[in-house]
Amino acid sequence: MTDAAPVRLKGVNFSFGEGALRRPVLRDLDLNVAAGEIVLLTGPSGSGKTTLLTLVGALRAMQSGSCVVLGQELMGASETERVTLRRRIGFIFQNHNLLGFLTARQNVAMALELDPSSTEQTRLERAAFMLTSVGLADYLDTPPNKMSGGQRQRVAVARALASGPGLILADEPTAALDRQSGQDVVRLMRDLARQSGMPILLVTHDPRILDIADRVVSMEDGRILAETT
Amino acid sequence: MTAHALLPFRLAWRQLRAERARLFSAIAGVMFACVLVFMQLGFRSALFESASALPRAMQGELFLIHPLTTALFRPEPLPRVRAWQCLAVAGVAEAVPIYLAQTSWRNPVTGARRAIQLVGFDTEAGAVSFPGLSTLIQDLKRPDTVAFDSRSRPEFGPVPAILAERGPFIVQIGNRLTEIVGTVSLGASFGADGNVVMSETNFRRLAKNRDVSNIDLVALRLRPGTDPFAIQTQLTELLPKDVIVLTHDQLVAWERNYWETATPIGFIFAFGSLMGLIVGMVIVYQILFSDVASHLSEYATLKAMGYSSSYLSQVVLSAAAILAGLGFIPGALASAGLYHLVAKATLLPLRMELERSGLVWLLIFGMCVIAGLLAMRKLRDADPADMF
């Protein structure tokens, strides 16, 4: 089963800067995320966990090692290959980053417009379904600036999950939220991902949400320190 | 599939629509550029058209002018005998000398003086046909009579109104009392604010200090079925070098060419148009740039979601195209209104023409596309790797 794991990293090194300023942030890192698994990455600032997430999300070009995400080797992958892979990944950011000039439903539908086989009607229906499943059935046509922080982050979750991605990547999704809405959003993510067997790789500092994970990976200085299940 | 091609366009429209104040200032910017270019190009073509109104009203197939004549409002005289020499060529049926001069006209109401163009010719020869002239031919044979151009500038006085009220009346032209017997329609130009038309004899009475054997232009009527170009070649060989032979189109082009090249007028209007386009481009660029800059994290998110850079570029270019369209339509309507007002005030032939509208649309569209291409560079700053 390990071979078919959605995320397989082997011997990944990554550095920022050139020459004397070269600063390694990931050192010979190995990590697998199995299908349907929820993995939390924790660690102090500068431990490399966010860089790891951008590499897995195909947002940054690899430097050395091997990183296979959803069957695509990212080492040496072209910009086009990375853009195509990103369409199969759901991203949830620290800030919701919803488009302010679109309603909640239109924002979610944006994640579906990349599929040329979809029609406007199927997209809007799917978006409404996703918003209903995150408990925002009454906010379909509300613009983001008329919603609370928790509601916006739930729209972002609905958007990330709408196209049925093979992997969810989340970066501090609770950082901008209070305790209760943070808990709600993360549990919602977990429940929706479990239903469809999507794996989640989540970076967090927030000790209150550690309990949702199947596995917690602690990082420091670009290496994995410990894994707890 | 076509619906998918429209998605970037729809996104651009939704984004523009969300910021009303920004949208309206962008539209106003495009409108401004549009009106400016329309007015500049309109004036330019009106100038060239009105400047060539006199040669255009001539009926001849061929014309003789002195090679040093730069424009008909300031002609170089040529010997009248050249007109008769042309008759030696078999194809030439008639040679009509035309006399041109400027002199002062005293406004019949206020008494103010102003330079007016005199056009003298054999009114029966049919070589010059100004609308209204045919009914006045008998009256113009009397001594000291002229026909006034009703499209002269209003500073010459309300001549058509006085004529309608009390019939022919006396005005002072070049210190001579002359009777206005009627009006013809010709039009003011940049070279002459107004015109009066008269017979050869009456011209000599008004323009006394010139040699009677000197003329300014010759109109040649050819026998039916003769080739004007063959006659033109023949005459050019036959006549001395103090005249050149032009066809009707060449005469109009000669006059036009003076205003286009020998004066800065053509350049001024082209420069004015360019300024308008640059100002419009800067405004559109500012609007598009700030739209991108204030949505950088959203654009980066779209990139993370798998939207390509070229898709986002299409969004910016679509916004530019929308602004071009939304600014051009009211801009063209406003220009049509302004044309009407200015044409009434200046008597210049300003009209909204399809060809010019097409040209202005292309210029405005090009202006917006260039602004869009410049603003697109800001999209590079939307890096999804910075989002985490």
Side-chain angles (χ1 to χ4, degrees):
Chain A
M1 269 317 275
T2 331
D3 278 358
V7 179
R8 277 172 286 147
L9 280 79
K10 192 141 190 68
V12 173
N13 287 286
F14 194 89
S15 317
F16 285 115
E18 293 290 323
L21 292 171
R22 189 175 171 85
R23 190 169 51 84
V25 285
L26 295 177
R27 301 165 204 256
D28 197 24
L29 192 130
D30 298 345
L31 178 71
N32 283 359
V33 179
E37 195 182 19
I38 299 180
V39 176
L40 256 64
L41 276 173
T42 62
S45 300
S47 59
K49 53 192 194 309
T50 295
T51 307
L52 181 64
L53 205 61
T54 59
L55 288 178
V56 172
L59 299 174
R60 229 184 255 289
M62 290 276 291
Q63 288 176 347
S64 75
S66 165
C67 174
V68 180
V69 177
L70 303 176
Q72 165 79 47
E73 171 59 78
L74 286 171
M75 185 63 212
S78 69
E79 170 75 19
T80 318
E81 284 169 329
R82 289 196 283 131
V83 170
T84 312
L85 174 65
R86 293 209 289 259
R87 296 181 185 171
R88 297 160 58 204
I89 300 175
F91 290 92
I92 298 165
F93 301 96
Q94 191 169 338
N95 297 311
H96 55 84
N97 291 333
L98 298 171
L99 291 164
F101 53 87
L102 298 181
T103 64
R105 198 209 314 229
Q106 287 167 342
N107 263 294
V108 177
M110 283 296 292
L112 303 163
E113 286 181 7
L114 288 163
D115 174 7
S117 66
S118 65
T119 66
E120 182 70 6
Q121 199 194 343
T122 58
R123 288 193 293 264
L124 289 178
E125 277 170 8
R126 173 78 183 157
F129 172 79
M130 286 312 298
L131 285 168
T132 308
S133 57
V134 297
L136 292 174
D138 296 336
Y139 293 88
L140 296 185
D141 297 317
T142 310
N145 62 7
K146 299 229 171 75
M147 295 178 147
S148 71
Q151 286 170 334
R152 286 180 214 165
Q153 199 59 303
R154 279 192 275 162
V155 177
V157 170
R159 178 173 65 175
L161 296 170
S163 61
L167 171 68
I168 304 287
L169 298 177
D171 182 44
E172 311 265 16
T174 58
L177 301 180
D178 62 65
R179 180 190 169 83
Q180 189 55 46
S181 20
Q183 295 269 351
D184 289 350
V185 165
V186 178
R187 284 181 211 295
L188 193 64
M189 255 170 71
R190 181 191 62 189
D191 296 344
L192 291 173
R194 282 266 157 78
Q195 282 168 23
S196 42
M198 288 176 216
I200 299 179
L201 185 57
L202 190 153
V203 164
T204 188
H205 274 115
D206 190 347
R208 299 169 303 197
I209 62 170
L210 295 181
D211 58 314
I212 69 154
D214 295 321
R215 187 151 58 104
V216 176
V217 176
S218 325
M219 284 181 67
E220 200 173 321
D221 287 338
R223 292 192 184 87
I224 290 172
L225 274 189
E227 297 194 16
T228 47
T229 33
Chain B
M1 280 314 285
T2 46
H4 264 266
L6 288 174
L7 288 177
F9 192 81
R10 188 179 67 175
L11 189 65
W13 168 237
R14 284 176 170 170
Q15 175 165 357
L16 284 174
R17 193 185 51 183
E19 297 251 13
R20 290 293 155 89
R22 208 184 262 176
L23 176 63
F24 282 119
S25 61
I27 290 176
V30 177
M31 242 184 98
F32 167 79
C34 188
V35 168
L36 205 60
V37 174
F38 259 119
M39 292 321 287
Q40 298 288 331
L41 293 183
F43 278 132
R44 185 173 184 273
S45 108
L47 158 66
F48 295 143
E49 193 179 318
S50 70
S52 55
L54 187 59
R56 252 191 290 183
M58 309 276 174
Q59 292 292 302
E61 285 82 21
L62 290 175
F63 295 87
L64 305 187
I65 58 171
H66 194 282
L68 291 179
T69 294
T70 48
L72 290 183
F73 80 96
R74 200 193 292 136
E76 193 73 27
L78 53 109
R80 189 174 47 186
V81 69
R82 298 285 172 268
W84 316 137
Q85 282 174 305
C86 294
L87 296 170
V89 174
V92 180
E94 206 177 355
V96 185
I98 293 166
Y99 304 79
L100 301 166
Q102 293 207 357
T103 189
S104 66
W105 157 285
R106 199 178 285 284
N107 184 318
V109 176
T110 64
R113 296 212 298 179
R114 199 175 176 90
I116 197 162
Q117 177 80 43
L118 308 180
V119 185
F121 49 90
D122 178 352
T123 47
E124 277 178 311
V128 183
S129 80
F130 301 131
L133 181 65
S134 53
T135 57
L136 298 173
I137 288 174
Q138 291 309 318
D139 288 328
L140 288 173
K141 284 181 185 167
R142 286 189 279 119
D144 290 314
T145 54
V146 296
F148 180 77
D149 172 14
S150 57
R151 290 172 62 212
S152 301
R153 286 193 53 82
E155 285 80 356
F156 291 101
V159 175
I162 300 174
L163 269 175
E165 200 184 308
R166 52 183 159 106
F169 63 102
I170 307 288
V171 292
Q172 189 185 328
I173 303 176
N175 298 328
R176 195 177 174 90
L177 292 179
T178 309
E179 185 187 0
I180 306 286
V181 293
T183 60
V184 294
S185 176
L186 184 55
S189 77
F190 285 74
D193 291 337
N195 304 285
V196 281
V197 172
M198 69 222 68
S199 68
E200 273 177 280
T201 328
N202 282 328
F203 180 88
R204 283 191 206 123
R205 290 190 174 105
L206 283 172
K208 273 202 251 5
N209 55 347
R210 47 182 282 168
D211 192 330
V212 289
S213 67
N214 276 346
I215 59 175
D216 301 293
L217 176 71
V218 180
L220 299 178
R221 309 297 310 260
L222 303 184
R223 293 189 198 287
T226 44
D227 174 21
F229 296 101
I231 307 275
Q232 186 184 18
T233 319
Q234 230 175 320
L235 285 173
T236 308
E237 283 167 16
L238 190 72
L239 294 169
K241 296 299 157 218
D242 62 354
V243 290
I244 50 170
V245 186
L246 300 174
T247 64
H248 189 252
D249 288 346
Q250 285 168 342
L251 181 73
V252 173
W254 182 279
E255 185 77 6
R256 226 190 125 99
N257 183 54
Y258 168 78
W259 296 101
E260 275 189 31
T261 59
T263 68
I265 296 171
F267 172 77
I268 287 167
F269 289 119
F271 188 75
S273 307
L274 186 70
M275 284 295 114
L277 289 172
I278 288 175
V279 170
M281 190 182 78
V282 169
I283 295 174
V284 173
Y285 169 73
Q286 284 287 349
I287 301 289
L288 294 176
F289 179 89
S290 50
D291 256 346
V292 175
S294 62
H295 291 104
L296 265 192
S297 59
E298 286 87 346
Y299 279 148
T301 306
L302 290 178
K303 278 191 183 173
M305 283 160 64
Y307 281 92
S308 61
S309 300
S310 74
Y311 186 98
L312 298 181
S313 301
Q314 285 175 52
V315 174
V316 175
L317 282 183
S318 302
I322 292 170
L323 291 180
L326 289 183
F328 178 78
I329 294 167
L333 290 176
S335 303
L338 276 173
Y339 275 175
H340 185 70
L341 285 179
V342 175
K344 241 170 112 177
T346 62
L347 299 174
L348 282 169
L350 277 168
R351 280 182 307 274
M352 188 54 86
E353 279 160 9
L354 195 63
E355 200 181 321
R356 189 184 311 140
S357 310
L359 174 68
V360 176
W361 164 245
L362 287 181
L363 287 171
I364 293 292
F365 188 78
M367 169 191 98
C368 289
V369 166
I370 291 171
L373 290 173
L374 290 172
M376 247 162 61
R377 296 185 310 167
K378 184 67 184 167
L379 282 175
R380 286 190 216 141
D381 293 348
D383 183 359
D386 295 338
M387 293 305 300
F388 284 133

